[in-house]
Amino acid sequence: MDNHTDPIILDPEGPDIQGEIARIRKRGPVTKVVLPGGVPAWSVTDAAILKEILSGSDVSKDPRQHWPAFRNGEIGKDFPLLNWVNTRSMFTAYGSEHRRLRNFVAPAFTNRRTAALQPRIQAIADDLVTGLDAAPESHPVDIRENFAYPLPLRVINELMGVPEHLIGPLRKCVDGIFDIALSEEAAVTNYQEMIGLLQHLVAYRRENPAEDMTSTLISHVDDPAKNFSVEELVGTLYLTVNAGHETTVDLIDQAIYLLLTNPDHLAATLDGSLSWADVIEEVLRLEPSIAHAPLRYAVKDFVLGDVAITEGDPILACPAGANRDPKIYGDSADKFDPTRKNKDHMAFGYGAHRCPGAPLARLEAQVALPALFQRFPHMKLAVSPDELGTVPGFIANGHDHLPVLLK
């Protein structure tokens, strides 16, 4: 039974993220939850309230300044979300510090830079589809593992300038970062390994500079006027590879799943009466890649909705909740409908911390999905939807695997 006085304890494995968020919403727009590790936080699932706090300065993402429990050492090394809150990058910065760090990253994701990647993304998608075409007809293929996963990985590796010998080890680490249920020891080891790999990447690009994001960021570190440290450079790469990979994998995964389970919308997309852009925006609304975005902290006492928030309280933004807010999307909030008029969503965040990689994620989906479905228009799920499993953790929102019959 749901005892309405006890806060909802988030399941660290995330087997039913949307069901859990629906239960949180029933309690109210701003609801007390318990994070893995026993840390209480406020979950915000109401779209208007979430926009209000994300566009103002009352909440911060910097635990060093604004989370007393973190500053005082009450948050131990065993806190399962530690890697989400303590790596120094624009993701965990506030105010002018956030703007300073974001300015180093933004040039890598301008519309011009993004558009210039389109031919490479197309070549990668075509290459993967050609590989799939060679698969035996009667054998199920895990389309997540063999298409949704490698495409963004190859794109982000090219963007960052990751050499071949670091690609495999980095992939293993990225998987571990999103697995909140890892033991403390495994999580610490995984994090240290990943930071070590990124330091190797920096050393490699120092010796072999190229036209890539890592080489550009190294040039900022080497310019004393830029005030950009090696630690911030590594933190920025850490953020880019984590935010820029898993999220796009889940976007492509969810899009394939939703089209396969909604054959009418798939037929309409394939005959051109529904645009791929409409499909992608509705996927981002209904099943955003980041369900809960950890973590923010109240900079001062304030009232949110009708809840009194105390300075230092942790706040968990819930874009997946806001994206299904019945006040905005009505009775069909939980339904996949790419023809709906209002597909406005918060899948890429909102306000100052809005994801700079949003145009790249959209472009990857816009290239990948037609490449796949035009080659395999009769593709279907090889198992029932309830056998797909979920990505470990309550942050990332994707399937564990996605077996399909291609032809």
Side-chain angles (χ1 to χ4, degrees), residues 321-369:
N323 284 1
R324 295 187 179 200
D325 187 333
K327 292 204 286 296
I328 294 180
Y329 307 105
D331 295 342
S332 69
D334 294 330
K335 187 169 176 282
F336 179 64
D337 180 12
T339 67
R340 75 171 68 240
K341 290 280 186 285
N342 181 8
K343 290 186 282 287
D344 181 37
H345 60 76
M346 297 172 75
F348 295 115
Y350 192 79
H353 278 271
R354 194 172 187 285
C355 173
L360 179 59
R362 284 189 169 105
L363 177 64
E364 288 180 60
Q366 187 86 42
V367 170
L369 295 169

Side-chain angles (χ1 to χ4, degrees), residues 61-205:
K61 293 189 83 176
D62 185 349
R64 290 169 184 82
Q65 279 193 75
H66 299 119
W67 192 13
F70 182 87
R71 258 200 330 260
N72 306 342
E74 293 165 45
I75 303 299
K77 286 210 163 40
D78 58 346
F79 178 49
L81 295 176
L82 192 64
N83 300 339
W84 285 85
V85 304
N86 72 347
T87 306
R88 285 187 188 271
S89 72
M90 65 181 189
F91 187 75
T92 54
Y94 175 72
S96 59
E97 183 68 358
H98 170 254
R99 287 191 291 276
R100 177 180 74 81
L101 291 170
R102 191 177 173 104
N103 286 341
F104 293 117
V105 180
F109 294 104
T110 59
N111 287 338
R112 186 178 60 80
R113 277 271 180 96
T114 300
L117 286 168
Q118 176 150 6
R120 282 300 304 135
I121 299 169
Q122 190 71 56
I124 291 167
D126 292 344
D127 181 43
L128 291 169
V129 167
T130 303
L132 290 168
D133 217 2
E137 289 206 11
S138 57
H139 280 247
V141 171
D142 184 350
I143 204 73
R144 179 183 170 93
E145 176 64 26
N146 292 287
F147 185 76
Y149 202 105
L151 185 138
L153 188 62
R154 281 167 65 173
V155 173
I156 208 76
N157 282 328
E158 289 198 16
L159 182 83
M160 289 172 57
V162 179
E164 197 62 44
H165 66 281
L166 293 179
I167 289 176
L170 260 180
R171 168 191 169 152
K172 196 176 130 301
C173 289
V174 173
D175 285 350
I177 295 296
F178 280 87
D179 187 352
I180 303 303
L182 281 185
S183 71
E184 176 195 345
E185 191 182 1
V188 169
T189 304
N190 185 65
Y191 179 77
Q192 287 168 342
E193 198 174 312
M194 184 158 189
I195 295 297
L197 289 168
L198 293 171
Q199 287 164 339
H200 281 306
L201 167 59
V202 172
Y204 178 86
R205 282 293 164 219

Side-chain angles (χ1 to χ4, degrees), residues 148 151-152 243-253 289 357 360-362 364-365:
L151 185 138
H245 173 240
E246 174 75 40
T247 50
T248 312
V249 175
D250 292 337
L251 166 57
I252 295 171
D253 158 341
S289 300
L360 179 59
R362 284 189 169 105
E364 288 180 60

